[in-house]
Amino acid sequence: MSDRLKLVVVSAGLAVPSSTRLLADRLAAAVDRRGPVDVRVVEVRDLAVEIAHNFTNGFAGKALAAAQDAVAGADGLIVVTPVFSASYSGLFKSFFDVLDKDALTGKPVLIAATGGTGRHSLVLEHALRPLFAYLRAVVVPTGVYAASEDWGAEGLAERIERAAGELAGLMAGLSAAGADPVDGPPVVPFEEQLARLGAVGA
């Protein structure tokens, strides 16, 4: 049984291959380099039919239920959506709508998005960050947006590394909360963590 931290990556890309999945994979790899984690990728595209059925009949199909359990049991999340109409995609939002209302409470989340132009970069702040704050997740200060022109350009790799470091640090810190106070790092109350992140992200 692995004692490594569990990282779940939620990718809402629609195309194959997908720049959204590419960004998700790069972020996950950057987190893994800071301390190996068990990575589980949830491709929301593959769950579209089951998500729709869940809305209409209230029951999750086998694949959707497995994805819900993975998210609920994760030590941290990376969530990546393509931009549609200046916001996250409807399919991305629908996946989080069918989660248990407490599934993300206190969970570290790295938000990211892809789009055709840099003009949509504010989607991270006006759409994604408020959504996950509402779900009571702990959103890392650095979000990552990748426009078409960002791939291979200066800056994207640095943003990926910075965001990954923040997520890895939060995951490790929260996992140590149950450690012996003598041997482990000091436990920071959840409210204080939120206050610190809010100050950094202002």
Side-chain angles (χ1 to χ4, degrees), residues 11-25 41-46 48 80-84 89 91-92 114-115 148 151:
S11 172
L14 299 178
V16 179
S18 162
S19 61
T20 300
R21 176 61 188 270
L22 176 60
L23 179 58
D25 288 344
V41 178
V42 174
E43 283 280 9
V44 183
R45 176 190 64 240
D46 298 336
V80 192
T81 179
V83 175
F84 284 92
S89 73
L91 185 57
F92 177 86
T114 58
S148 298
W151 297 103

Side-chain angles (χ1 to χ4, degrees), residues 4 7 27 44 46 60 74 79 95 100 111 127 141 144 158 160 169 183:
R4 297 196 299 186
L7 174 65
L27 287 164
V44 183
D46 298 336
V79 299
F95 175 73
D100 181 85
I111 56 173
V144 180
E158 289 77 6
I160 288 173
D183 299 326

